PDB file of all heavy atoms in Angstrom:
ATOM      1  N   TYR A  79       2.810   3.847   0.209  1.00 97.00           N
ATOM      2  CA  TYR A  79       1.965   4.169   1.200  1.00 97.00           C
ATOM      3  C   TYR A  79       2.779   4.983   2.411  1.00 97.00           C
ATOM      4  O   TYR A  79       3.806   4.248   2.730  1.00 97.00           O
ATOM      5  CB  TYR A  79       1.031   3.267   1.681  1.00 97.00           C
ATOM      6  CG  TYR A  79       0.065   2.867   0.725  1.00 97.00           C
ATOM      7  CD1 TYR A  79       0.285   1.877  -0.276  1.00 97.00           C
ATOM      8  CD2 TYR A  79      -1.248   3.422   0.730  1.00 97.00           C
ATOM      9  CE1 TYR A  79      -0.686   1.599  -1.101  1.00 97.00           C
ATOM     10  CE2 TYR A  79      -2.184   3.081  -0.199  1.00 97.00           C
ATOM     11  CZ  TYR A  79      -1.877   2.123  -1.165  1.00 97.00           C
ATOM     12  OH  TYR A  79      -2.944   1.777  -2.182  1.00 97.00           O
ATOM     13  N   GLU A  80       2.381   5.954   2.842  1.00 95.00           N
ATOM     14  CA  GLU A  80       3.051   6.628   4.061  1.00 95.00           C
ATOM     15  C   GLU A  80       2.115   6.712   5.309  1.00 95.00           C
ATOM     16  O   GLU A  80       2.604   7.153   6.413  1.00 95.00           O
ATOM     17  CB  GLU A  80       3.675   8.044   3.711  1.00 95.00           C
ATOM     18  CG  GLU A  80       4.820   7.976   2.871  1.00 95.00           C
ATOM     19  CD  GLU A  80       5.882   9.006   3.038  1.00 95.00           C
ATOM     20  OE1 GLU A  80       5.565   9.907   3.979  1.00 95.00           O
ATOM     21  OE2 GLU A  80       6.875   9.103   2.319  1.00 95.00           O
ATOM     22  N   SER A  81       0.918   6.314   5.169  1.00 90.00           N
ATOM     23  CA  SER A  81      -0.043   6.661   6.275  1.00 90.00           C
ATOM     24  C   SER A  81       0.117   5.609   7.454  1.00 90.00           C
ATOM     25  O   SER A  81       0.773   4.525   7.144  1.00 90.00           O
ATOM     26  CB  SER A  81      -1.399   6.483   5.765  1.00 90.00           C
ATOM     27  OG  SER A  81      -1.693   7.331   4.626  1.00 90.00           O
ATOM     28  N   THR A  82      -0.354   6.007   8.578  1.00 84.00           N
ATOM     29  CA  THR A  82      -0.380   5.041   9.785  1.00 84.00           C
ATOM     30  C   THR A  82      -1.189   3.780   9.347  1.00 84.00           C
ATOM     31  O   THR A  82      -2.283   3.883   9.003  1.00 84.00           O
ATOM     32  CB  THR A  82      -0.804   5.754  10.953  1.00 84.00           C
ATOM     33  OG1 THR A  82       0.043   6.682  11.355  1.00 84.00           O
ATOM     34  CG2 THR A  82      -1.142   4.730  12.079  1.00 84.00           C
ATOM     35  N   VAL A  83      -0.585   2.678   9.602  1.00 88.00           N
ATOM     36  CA  VAL A  83      -1.263   1.394   9.365  1.00 88.00           C
ATOM     37  C   VAL A  83      -0.802   0.413  10.357  1.00 88.00           C
ATOM     38  O   VAL A  83       0.120   0.568  11.025  1.00 88.00           O
ATOM     39  CB  VAL A  83      -0.965   0.831   7.969  1.00 88.00           C
ATOM     40  CG1 VAL A  83      -1.539   1.763   6.866  1.00 88.00           C
ATOM     41  CG2 VAL A  83       0.384   0.623   7.663  1.00 88.00           C
ATOM     42  N   TYR A  84      -1.507  -0.755  10.523  1.00 89.00           N
ATOM     43  CA  TYR A  84      -1.035  -1.928  11.249  1.00 89.00           C
ATOM     44  C   TYR A  84      -0.345  -2.824  10.207  1.00 89.00           C
ATOM     45  O   TYR A  84      -0.578  -2.740   9.025  1.00 89.00           O
ATOM     46  CB  TYR A  84      -2.077  -2.637  12.035  1.00 89.00           C
ATOM     47  CG  TYR A  84      -3.317  -3.021  11.347  1.00 89.00           C
ATOM     48  CD1 TYR A  84      -3.305  -4.063  10.432  1.00 89.00           C
ATOM     49  CD2 TYR A  84      -4.499  -2.361  11.473  1.00 89.00           C
ATOM     50  CE1 TYR A  84      -4.433  -4.491   9.720  1.00 89.00           C
ATOM     51  CE2 TYR A  84      -5.626  -2.660  10.758  1.00 89.00           C
ATOM     52  CZ  TYR A  84      -5.680  -3.853   9.877  1.00 89.00           C
ATOM     53  OH  TYR A  84      -6.783  -4.198   9.280  1.00 89.00           O
ATOM     54  N   PRO A  85       0.661  -3.656  10.680  1.00 93.00           N
ATOM     55  CA  PRO A  85       1.372  -4.461   9.790  1.00 93.00           C
ATOM     56  C   PRO A  85       0.409  -5.371   8.828  1.00 93.00           C
ATOM     57  O   PRO A  85      -0.380  -6.092   9.350  1.00 93.00           O
ATOM     58  CB  PRO A  85       2.263  -5.287  10.689  1.00 93.00           C
ATOM     59  CG  PRO A  85       2.368  -4.477  11.863  1.00 93.00           C
ATOM     60  CD  PRO A  85       1.043  -3.757  12.072  1.00 93.00           C
ATOM     61  N   GLY A  86       0.653  -5.239   7.608  1.00 94.00           N
ATOM     62  CA  GLY A  86      -0.253  -5.977   6.634  1.00 94.00           C
ATOM     63  C   GLY A  86      -1.256  -5.168   5.816  1.00 94.00           C
ATOM     64  O   GLY A  86      -1.794  -5.617   4.815  1.00 94.00           O
ATOM     65  N   VAL A  87      -1.582  -3.996   6.342  1.00 94.00           N
ATOM     66  CA  VAL A  87      -2.593  -3.207   5.537  1.00 94.00           C
ATOM     67  C   VAL A  87      -2.331  -2.976   4.112  1.00 94.00           C
ATOM     68  O   VAL A  87      -3.252  -3.054   3.246  1.00 94.00           O
ATOM     69  CB  VAL A  87      -2.880  -1.964   6.370  1.00 94.00           C
ATOM     70  CG1 VAL A  87      -3.712  -0.917   5.485  1.00 94.00           C
ATOM     71  CG2 VAL A  87      -3.590  -2.155   7.690  1.00 94.00           C
ATOM     72  N   THR A  88      -1.107  -2.577   3.821  1.00 96.00           N
ATOM     73  CA  THR A  88      -0.691  -2.312   2.424  1.00 96.00           C
ATOM     74  C   THR A  88      -1.060  -3.389   1.501  1.00 96.00           C
ATOM     75  O   THR A  88      -1.740  -3.216   0.494  1.00 96.00           O
ATOM     76  CB  THR A  88       0.701  -1.799   2.361  1.00 96.00           C
ATOM     77  OG1 THR A  88       0.988  -0.642   3.136  1.00 96.00           O
ATOM     78  CG2 THR A  88       1.191  -1.487   0.929  1.00 96.00           C
ATOM     79  N   GLU A  89      -0.643  -4.561   1.790  1.00 97.00           N
ATOM     80  CA  GLU A  89      -0.768  -5.713   0.864  1.00 97.00           C
ATOM     81  C   GLU A  89      -2.090  -6.247   1.049  1.00 97.00           C
ATOM     82  O   GLU A  89      -2.622  -6.851  -0.012  1.00 97.00           O
ATOM     83  CB  GLU A  89       0.432  -6.613   1.010  1.00 97.00           C
ATOM     84  CG  GLU A  89       1.747  -6.161   0.620  1.00 97.00           C
ATOM     85  CD  GLU A  89       2.915  -6.823   1.301  1.00 97.00           C
ATOM     86  OE1 GLU A  89       3.061  -6.763   2.577  1.00 97.00           O
ATOM     87  OE2 GLU A  89       3.787  -7.491   0.595  1.00 97.00           O
ATOM     88  N   GLU A  90      -2.639  -6.390   2.283  1.00 96.00           N
ATOM     89  CA  GLU A  90      -3.825  -7.053   2.379  1.00 96.00           C
ATOM     90  C   GLU A  90      -5.178  -6.315   2.254  1.00 96.00           C
ATOM     91  O   GLU A  90      -6.211  -6.824   1.819  1.00 96.00           O
ATOM     92  CB  GLU A  90      -3.987  -7.540   3.925  1.00 96.00           C
ATOM     93  CG  GLU A  90      -2.794  -8.643   4.154  1.00 96.00           C
ATOM     94  CD  GLU A  90      -2.590  -8.812   5.701  1.00 96.00           C
ATOM     95  OE1 GLU A  90      -3.521  -8.535   6.509  1.00 96.00           O
ATOM     96  OE2 GLU A  90      -1.567  -9.515   6.069  1.00 96.00           O
ATOM     97  N   GLU A  91      -5.048  -4.859   2.355  1.00 96.00           N
ATOM     98  CA  GLU A  91      -6.243  -4.121   2.352  1.00 96.00           C
ATOM     99  C   GLU A  91      -6.097  -3.079   1.050  1.00 96.00           C
ATOM    100  O   GLU A  91      -7.173  -2.904   0.396  1.00 96.00           O
ATOM    101  CB  GLU A  91      -6.479  -3.249   3.588  1.00 96.00           C
ATOM    102  CG  GLU A  91      -6.587  -3.906   4.772  1.00 96.00           C
ATOM    103  CD  GLU A  91      -7.879  -4.770   4.907  1.00 96.00           C
ATOM    104  OE1 GLU A  91      -8.817  -4.326   4.263  1.00 96.00           O
ATOM    105  OE2 GLU A  91      -7.986  -5.746   5.692  1.00 96.00           O
ATOM    106  N   CYS A  92      -5.032  -2.476   0.875  1.00 97.00           N
ATOM    107  CA  CYS A  92      -4.908  -1.548  -0.232  1.00 97.00           C
ATOM    108  C   CYS A  92      -4.718  -2.197  -1.632  1.00 97.00           C
ATOM    109  O   CYS A  92      -5.349  -1.848  -2.588  1.00 97.00           O
ATOM    110  CB  CYS A  92      -3.735  -0.621   0.124  1.00 97.00           C
ATOM    111  SG  CYS A  92      -3.960   0.393   1.556  1.00 97.00           S
ATOM    112  N   VAL A  93      -3.883  -3.244  -1.655  1.00 98.00           N
ATOM    113  CA  VAL A  93      -3.546  -3.881  -2.925  1.00 98.00           C
ATOM    114  C   VAL A  93      -4.751  -4.423  -3.602  1.00 98.00           C
ATOM    115  O   VAL A  93      -5.057  -4.206  -4.797  1.00 98.00           O
ATOM    116  CB  VAL A  93      -2.425  -4.969  -2.800  1.00 98.00           C
ATOM    117  CG1 VAL A  93      -2.461  -5.755  -4.026  1.00 98.00           C
ATOM    118  CG2 VAL A  93      -1.066  -4.309  -2.607  1.00 98.00           C
ATOM    119  N   PRO A  94      -5.626  -5.100  -2.999  1.00 98.00           N
ATOM    120  CA  PRO A  94      -6.973  -5.656  -3.658  1.00 98.00           C
ATOM    121  C   PRO A  94      -7.802  -4.569  -4.144  1.00 98.00           C
ATOM    122  O   PRO A  94      -8.411  -4.749  -5.224  1.00 98.00           O
ATOM    123  CB  PRO A  94      -7.667  -6.290  -2.451  1.00 98.00           C
ATOM    124  CG  PRO A  94      -6.606  -6.604  -1.474  1.00 98.00           C
ATOM    125  CD  PRO A  94      -5.651  -5.715  -1.492  1.00 98.00           C
ATOM    126  N   VAL A  95      -7.774  -3.268  -3.546  1.00 98.00           N
ATOM    127  CA  VAL A  95      -8.427  -2.215  -4.117  1.00 98.00           C
ATOM    128  C   VAL A  95      -7.793  -1.714  -5.424  1.00 98.00           C
ATOM    129  O   VAL A  95      -8.475  -1.463  -6.433  1.00 98.00           O
ATOM    130  CB  VAL A  95      -8.680  -0.980  -3.060  1.00 98.00           C
ATOM    131  CG1 VAL A  95      -9.355   0.169  -3.767  1.00 98.00           C
ATOM    132  CG2 VAL A  95      -9.312  -1.461  -1.928  1.00 98.00           C
ATOM    133  N   LEU A  96      -6.485  -1.676  -5.334  1.00 98.00           N
ATOM    134  CA  LEU A  96      -5.814  -1.178  -6.500  1.00 98.00           C
ATOM    135  C   LEU A  96      -6.022  -2.153  -7.728  1.00 98.00           C
ATOM    136  O   LEU A  96      -6.232  -1.789  -8.899  1.00 98.00           O
ATOM    137  CB  LEU A  96      -4.249  -1.056  -6.296  1.00 98.00           C
ATOM    138  CG  LEU A  96      -3.913  -0.067  -5.274  1.00 98.00           C
ATOM    139  CD1 LEU A  96      -2.355  -0.208  -4.938  1.00 98.00           C
ATOM    140  CD2 LEU A  96      -4.092   1.346  -5.821  1.00 98.00           C
ATOM    141  N   GLU A  97      -6.004  -3.500  -7.476  1.00 98.00           N
ATOM    142  CA  GLU A  97      -6.247  -4.510  -8.407  1.00 98.00           C
ATOM    143  C   GLU A  97      -7.620  -4.467  -9.031  1.00 98.00           C
ATOM    144  O   GLU A  97      -7.838  -4.488 -10.215  1.00 98.00           O
ATOM    145  CB  GLU A  97      -5.945  -5.842  -7.825  1.00 98.00           C
ATOM    146  CG  GLU A  97      -4.530  -6.242  -7.700  1.00 98.00           C
ATOM    147  CD  GLU A  97      -4.342  -7.744  -7.279  1.00 98.00           C
ATOM    148  OE1 GLU A  97      -5.023  -8.126  -6.429  1.00 98.00           O
ATOM    149  OE2 GLU A  97      -3.342  -8.380  -7.917  1.00 98.00           O
ATOM    150  N   LYS A  98      -8.646  -4.228  -8.192  1.00 98.00           N
ATOM    151  CA  LYS A  98     -10.010  -4.276  -8.548  1.00 98.00           C
ATOM    152  C   LYS A  98     -10.256  -3.133  -9.490  1.00 98.00           C
ATOM    153  O   LYS A  98     -10.898  -3.254 -10.569  1.00 98.00           O
ATOM    154  CB  LYS A  98     -10.959  -4.219  -7.390  1.00 98.00           C
ATOM    155  CG  LYS A  98     -12.395  -4.292  -7.592  1.00 98.00           C
ATOM    156  CD  LYS A  98     -13.211  -4.048  -6.363  1.00 98.00           C
ATOM    157  CE  LYS A  98     -14.806  -4.087  -6.731  1.00 98.00           C
ATOM    158  NZ  LYS A  98     -15.523  -3.944  -5.539  1.00 98.00           N
ATOM    159  N   ILE A  99      -9.876  -1.967  -9.088  1.00 98.00           N
ATOM    160  CA  ILE A  99     -10.202  -0.658  -9.843  1.00 98.00           C
ATOM    161  C   ILE A  99      -9.390  -0.573 -11.128  1.00 98.00           C
ATOM    162  O   ILE A  99      -9.860  -0.251 -12.188  1.00 98.00           O
ATOM    163  CB  ILE A  99      -9.985   0.546  -8.954  1.00 98.00           C
ATOM    164  CG1 ILE A  99     -10.749   0.515  -7.680  1.00 98.00           C
ATOM    165  CG2 ILE A  99     -10.229   1.833  -9.796  1.00 98.00           C
ATOM    166  CD1 ILE A  99     -12.191   0.386  -7.971  1.00 98.00           C
ATOM    167  N   SER A 100      -8.103  -1.010 -11.016  1.00 97.00           N
ATOM    168  CA  SER A 100      -7.343  -0.890 -12.306  1.00 97.00           C
ATOM    169  C   SER A 100      -7.310  -2.028 -13.192  1.00 97.00           C
ATOM    170  O   SER A 100      -7.088  -1.846 -14.532  1.00 97.00           O
ATOM    171  CB  SER A 100      -5.801  -0.706 -11.805  1.00 97.00           C
ATOM    172  OG  SER A 100      -5.284  -1.942 -11.290  1.00 97.00           O
ATOM    173  N   GLY A 101      -7.692  -3.192 -12.715  1.00 97.00           N
ATOM    174  CA  GLY A 101      -7.685  -4.413 -13.578  1.00 97.00           C
ATOM    175  C   GLY A 101      -6.411  -4.939 -13.776  1.00 97.00           C
ATOM    176  O   GLY A 101      -6.155  -5.885 -14.582  1.00 97.00           O
ATOM    177  N   LEU A 102      -5.295  -4.451 -13.157  1.00 98.00           N
ATOM    178  CA  LEU A 102      -3.963  -4.939 -13.252  1.00 98.00           C
ATOM    179  C   LEU A 102      -3.622  -5.913 -12.164  1.00 98.00           C
ATOM    180  O   LEU A 102      -4.307  -5.930 -11.068  1.00 98.00           O
ATOM    181  CB  LEU A 102      -3.018  -3.654 -13.149  1.00 98.00           C
ATOM    182  CG  LEU A 102      -3.209  -2.586 -14.282  1.00 98.00           C
ATOM    183  CD1 LEU A 102      -2.259  -1.435 -14.012  1.00 98.00           C
ATOM    184  CD2 LEU A 102      -3.017  -3.188 -15.660  1.00 98.00           C
ATOM    185  N   LYS A 103      -2.545  -6.604 -12.372  1.00 98.00           N
ATOM    186  CA  LYS A 103      -2.009  -7.671 -11.437  1.00 98.00           C
ATOM    187  C   LYS A 103      -0.857  -7.221 -10.564  1.00 98.00           C
ATOM    188  O   LYS A 103      -0.004  -6.686 -11.058  1.00 98.00           O
ATOM    189  CB  LYS A 103      -1.740  -8.948 -12.251  1.00 98.00           C
ATOM    190  CG  LYS A 103      -1.384 -10.168 -11.288  1.00 98.00           C
ATOM    191  CD  LYS A 103      -1.178 -11.319 -12.149  1.00 98.00           C
ATOM    192  CE  LYS A 103      -0.806 -12.583 -11.240  1.00 98.00           C
ATOM    193  NZ  LYS A 103      -1.703 -12.849 -10.091  1.00 98.00           N
ATOM    194  N   PHE A 104      -1.100  -7.338  -9.322  1.00 97.00           N
ATOM    195  CA  PHE A 104       0.055  -6.936  -8.317  1.00 97.00           C
ATOM    196  C   PHE A 104       1.287  -7.761  -8.557  1.00 97.00           C
ATOM    197  O   PHE A 104       1.303  -8.965  -8.779  1.00 97.00           O
ATOM    198  CB  PHE A 104      -0.549  -7.197  -6.865  1.00 97.00           C
ATOM    199  CG  PHE A 104       0.437  -6.918  -5.792  1.00 97.00           C
ATOM    200  CD1 PHE A 104       1.143  -5.805  -5.677  1.00 97.00           C
ATOM    201  CD2 PHE A 104       0.629  -7.859  -4.752  1.00 97.00           C
ATOM    202  CE1 PHE A 104       2.111  -5.610  -4.709  1.00 97.00           C
ATOM    203  CE2 PHE A 104       1.507  -7.586  -3.749  1.00 97.00           C
ATOM    204  CZ  PHE A 104       2.236  -6.404  -3.644  1.00 97.00           C
ATOM    205  N   ASN A 105       2.396  -6.996  -8.378  1.00 98.00           N
ATOM    206  CA  ASN A 105       3.688  -7.575  -8.467  1.00 98.00           C
ATOM    207  C   ASN A 105       4.067  -8.118 -10.001  1.00 98.00           C
ATOM    208  O   ASN A 105       4.993  -8.858 -10.087  1.00 98.00           O
ATOM    209  CB  ASN A 105       4.048  -8.548  -7.471  1.00 98.00           C
ATOM    210  CG  ASN A 105       4.537  -7.952  -6.170  1.00 98.00           C
ATOM    211  OD1 ASN A 105       4.921  -6.772  -6.262  1.00 98.00           O
ATOM    212  ND2 ASN A 105       4.662  -8.690  -5.009  1.00 98.00           N
ATOM    213  N   SER A 106       3.193  -7.967 -10.886  1.00 97.00           N
ATOM    214  CA  SER A 106       3.326  -8.262 -12.272  1.00 97.00           C
ATOM    215  C   SER A 106       3.194  -7.000 -13.111  1.00 97.00           C
ATOM    216  O   SER A 106       4.086  -6.653 -13.926  1.00 97.00           O
ATOM    217  CB  SER A 106       2.460  -9.280 -12.700  1.00 97.00           C
ATOM    218  OG  SER A 106       2.516  -9.594 -14.041  1.00 97.00           O
ATOM    219  N   ASP A 107       2.076  -6.356 -12.966  1.00 98.00           N
ATOM    220  CA  ASP A 107       1.788  -5.156 -13.656  1.00 98.00           C
ATOM    221  C   ASP A 107       2.142  -3.911 -12.980  1.00 98.00           C
ATOM    222  O   ASP A 107       2.576  -2.919 -13.535  1.00 98.00           O
ATOM    223  CB  ASP A 107       0.343  -5.135 -14.177  1.00 98.00           C
ATOM    224  CG  ASP A 107      -0.150  -6.229 -14.937  1.00 98.00           C
ATOM    225  OD1 ASP A 107       0.688  -6.599 -15.781  1.00 98.00           O
ATOM    226  OD2 ASP A 107      -1.268  -6.700 -14.966  1.00 98.00           O
ATOM    227  N   PHE A 108       1.921  -3.875 -11.639  1.00 98.00           N
ATOM    228  CA  PHE A 108       2.237  -2.769 -10.733  1.00 98.00           C
ATOM    229  C   PHE A 108       2.791  -3.243  -9.414  1.00 98.00           C
ATOM    230  O   PHE A 108       2.650  -4.486  -9.142  1.00 98.00           O
ATOM    231  CB  PHE A 108       1.080  -1.894 -10.565  1.00 98.00           C
ATOM    232  CG  PHE A 108       0.083  -2.452  -9.572  1.00 98.00           C
ATOM    233  CD1 PHE A 108       0.140  -2.189  -8.203  1.00 98.00           C
ATOM    234  CD2 PHE A 108      -0.947  -3.334 -10.067  1.00 98.00           C
ATOM    235  CE1 PHE A 108      -0.864  -2.750  -7.304  1.00 98.00           C
ATOM    236  CE2 PHE A 108      -1.915  -3.831  -9.158  1.00 98.00           C
ATOM    237  CZ  PHE A 108      -1.840  -3.574  -7.838  1.00 98.00           C
ATOM    238  N   PHE A 109       3.427  -2.345  -8.679  1.00 98.00           N
ATOM    239  CA  PHE A 109       4.216  -2.625  -7.536  1.00 98.00           C
ATOM    240  C   PHE A 109       3.897  -1.656  -6.466  1.00 98.00           C
ATOM    241  O   PHE A 109       3.304  -0.504  -6.683  1.00 98.00           O
ATOM    242  CB  PHE A 109       5.639  -2.650  -7.712  1.00 98.00           C
ATOM    243  CG  PHE A 109       6.024  -3.591  -8.779  1.00 98.00           C
ATOM    244  CD1 PHE A 109       6.159  -3.114 -10.130  1.00 98.00           C
ATOM    245  CD2 PHE A 109       6.307  -4.901  -8.759  1.00 98.00           C
ATOM    246  CE1 PHE A 109       6.474  -3.934 -11.276  1.00 98.00           C
ATOM    247  CE2 PHE A 109       6.683  -5.715  -9.672  1.00 98.00           C
ATOM    248  CZ  PHE A 109       6.693  -5.203 -11.059  1.00 98.00           C
ATOM    249  N   VAL A 110       4.108  -2.032  -5.125  1.00 98.00           N
ATOM    250  CA  VAL A 110       3.829  -1.211  -4.013  1.00 98.00           C
ATOM    251  C   VAL A 110       4.997  -1.016  -3.179  1.00 98.00           C
ATOM    252  O   VAL A 110       5.941  -1.945  -3.164  1.00 98.00           O
ATOM    253  CB  VAL A 110       2.605  -1.577  -3.189  1.00 98.00           C
ATOM    254  CG1 VAL A 110       1.334  -1.529  -4.162  1.00 98.00           C
ATOM    255  CG2 VAL A 110       2.767  -2.826  -2.433  1.00 98.00           C
ATOM    256  N   GLY A 111       5.009  -0.026  -2.225  1.00 98.00           N
ATOM    257  CA  GLY A 111       6.002   0.188  -1.282  1.00 98.00           C
ATOM    258  C   GLY A 111       5.443   0.784  -0.135  1.00 98.00           C
ATOM    259  O   GLY A 111       4.251   1.233  -0.043  1.00 98.00           O
ATOM    260  N   TYR A 112       6.134   0.974   0.941  1.00 97.00           N
ATOM    261  CA  TYR A 112       5.791   1.521   2.198  1.00 97.00           C
ATOM    262  C   TYR A 112       6.892   2.205   2.876  1.00 97.00           C
ATOM    263  O   TYR A 112       8.027   1.635   2.919  1.00 97.00           O
ATOM    264  CB  TYR A 112       5.083   0.501   3.222  1.00 97.00           C
ATOM    265  CG  TYR A 112       4.542   1.273   4.485  1.00 97.00           C
ATOM    266  CD1 TYR A 112       3.327   1.848   4.426  1.00 97.00           C
ATOM    267  CD2 TYR A 112       5.325   1.358   5.623  1.00 97.00           C
ATOM    268  CE1 TYR A 112       2.849   2.529   5.613  1.00 97.00           C
ATOM    269  CE2 TYR A 112       4.804   2.004   6.742  1.00 97.00           C
ATOM    270  CZ  TYR A 112       3.551   2.645   6.613  1.00 97.00           C
ATOM    271  OH  TYR A 112       3.135   3.325   7.805  1.00 97.00           O
ATOM    272  N   SER A 113       6.675   3.519   3.036  1.00 96.00           N
ATOM    273  CA  SER A 113       7.720   4.354   3.774  1.00 96.00           C
ATOM    274  C   SER A 113       7.120   5.098   4.883  1.00 96.00           C
ATOM    275  O   SER A 113       6.420   6.084   4.686  1.00 96.00           O
ATOM    276  CB  SER A 113       8.492   5.200   2.790  1.00 96.00           C
ATOM    277  OG  SER A 113       9.446   5.976   3.408  1.00 96.00           O
ATOM    278  N   PRO A 114       7.234   4.820   6.094  1.00 91.00           N
ATOM    279  CA  PRO A 114       6.470   5.446   7.283  1.00 91.00           C
ATOM    280  C   PRO A 114       7.017   6.920   7.392  1.00 91.00           C
ATOM    281  O   PRO A 114       8.149   7.245   7.297  1.00 91.00           O
ATOM    282  CB  PRO A 114       6.828   4.697   8.505  1.00 91.00           C
ATOM    283  CG  PRO A 114       8.172   3.932   8.140  1.00 91.00           C
ATOM    284  CD  PRO A 114       8.146   3.655   6.671  1.00 91.00           C
ATOM    285  N   GLU A 115       5.988   7.784   7.469  1.00 86.00           N
ATOM    286  CA  GLU A 115       6.230   9.194   7.677  1.00 86.00           C
ATOM    287  C   GLU A 115       6.896   9.419   9.147  1.00 86.00           C
ATOM    288  O   GLU A 115       6.331   8.799  10.032  1.00 86.00           O
ATOM    289  CB  GLU A 115       5.018  10.201   7.446  1.00 86.00           C
ATOM    290  CG  GLU A 115       3.871   9.820   8.210  1.00 86.00           C
ATOM    291  CD  GLU A 115       3.787  10.631   9.500  1.00 86.00           C
ATOM    292  OE1 GLU A 115       4.778  11.421   9.768  1.00 86.00           O
ATOM    293  OE2 GLU A 115       2.860  10.356  10.307  1.00 86.00           O
ATOM    294  N   ARG A 116       7.707  10.307   9.357  1.00 81.00           N
ATOM    295  CA  ARG A 116       8.340  10.639  10.607  1.00 81.00           C
ATOM    296  C   ARG A 116       8.324  12.013  10.953  1.00 81.00           C
ATOM    297  O   ARG A 116       8.980  12.438  11.851  1.00 81.00           O
ATOM    298  CB  ARG A 116       9.764  10.064  10.690  1.00 81.00           C
ATOM    299  CG  ARG A 116       9.783   8.482  10.744  1.00 81.00           C
ATOM    300  CD  ARG A 116      11.218   8.042  10.651  1.00 81.00           C
ATOM    301  NE  ARG A 116      11.477   6.722  11.259  1.00 81.00           N
ATOM    302  CZ  ARG A 116      12.523   5.899  11.137  1.00 81.00           C
ATOM    303  NH1 ARG A 116      13.618   6.475  10.662  1.00 81.00           N
ATOM    304  NH2 ARG A 116      12.468   4.710  11.707  1.00 81.00           N
ATOM    305  N   ILE A 117       7.522  12.836  10.187  1.00 79.00           N
ATOM    306  CA  ILE A 117       7.444  14.276  10.372  1.00 79.00           C
ATOM    307  C   ILE A 117       6.884  14.607  11.763  1.00 79.00           C
ATOM    308  O   ILE A 117       5.814  14.009  12.105  1.00 79.00           O
ATOM    309  CB  ILE A 117       6.765  14.984   9.211  1.00 79.00           C
ATOM    310  CG1 ILE A 117       7.501  14.800   7.893  1.00 79.00           C
ATOM    311  CG2 ILE A 117       6.645  16.386   9.546  1.00 79.00           C
ATOM    312  CD1 ILE A 117       6.792  15.290   6.659  1.00 79.00           C
ATOM    313  N   ASN A 118       7.455  15.500  12.384  1.00 76.00           N
ATOM    314  CA  ASN A 118       6.968  16.023  13.536  1.00 76.00           C
ATOM    315  C   ASN A 118       6.368  17.362  13.419  1.00 76.00           C
ATOM    316  O   ASN A 118       7.083  18.363  13.251  1.00 76.00           O
ATOM    317  CB  ASN A 118       8.066  16.089  14.744  1.00 76.00           C
ATOM    318  CG  ASN A 118       7.539  16.390  16.109  1.00 76.00           C
ATOM    319  OD1 ASN A 118       6.361  16.308  16.384  1.00 76.00           O
ATOM    320  ND2 ASN A 118       8.401  16.740  17.048  1.00 76.00           N
ATOM    321  N   PRO A 119       5.018  17.619  13.302  1.00 76.00           N
ATOM    322  CA  PRO A 119       4.390  18.871  13.088  1.00 76.00           C
ATOM    323  C   PRO A 119       4.963  20.074  13.846  1.00 76.00           C
ATOM    324  O   PRO A 119       5.055  19.868  15.067  1.00 76.00           O
ATOM    325  CB  PRO A 119       2.889  18.609  13.230  1.00 76.00           C
ATOM    326  CG  PRO A 119       2.692  17.268  12.966  1.00 76.00           C
ATOM    327  CD  PRO A 119       3.951  16.551  13.562  1.00 76.00           C
ATOM    328  N   GLY A 120       5.286  21.088  13.266  1.00 77.00           N
ATOM    329  CA  GLY A 120       5.682  22.275  14.008  1.00 77.00           C
ATOM    330  C   GLY A 120       7.197  22.313  14.235  1.00 77.00           C
ATOM    331  O   GLY A 120       7.836  23.276  14.624  1.00 77.00           O
TER     332      GLY A 120
END
């Protein structure tokens, strides 16, 4: 994920959605990362 979030969103909000839709288990079947975007438009 690169979007603006508050600390904890990736694992607390996004991962449950990924697990529910995919039927896979976090940190066993799939994994996540976060890399904040720093682009300055223009």
Side-chain angles (χ1 to χ4, degrees):
Y79 291 85
E80 288 211 2
S81 304
T82 292
V83 296
Y84 51 77
V87 165
T88 299
E89 292 159 297
E90 297 167 12
E91 300 290 339
C92 298
V93 165
V95 176
L96 293 171
E97 286 188 314
K98 179 181 178 181
I99 301 299
S100 70
L102 301 177
K103 185 173 176 58
F104 174 51
N105 274 347
S106 175
D107 297 329
F108 73 93
F109 306 89
V110 301
Y112 183 83
S113 181
E115 59 89 3
R116 287 175 160 174
I117 296 173
N118 190 15

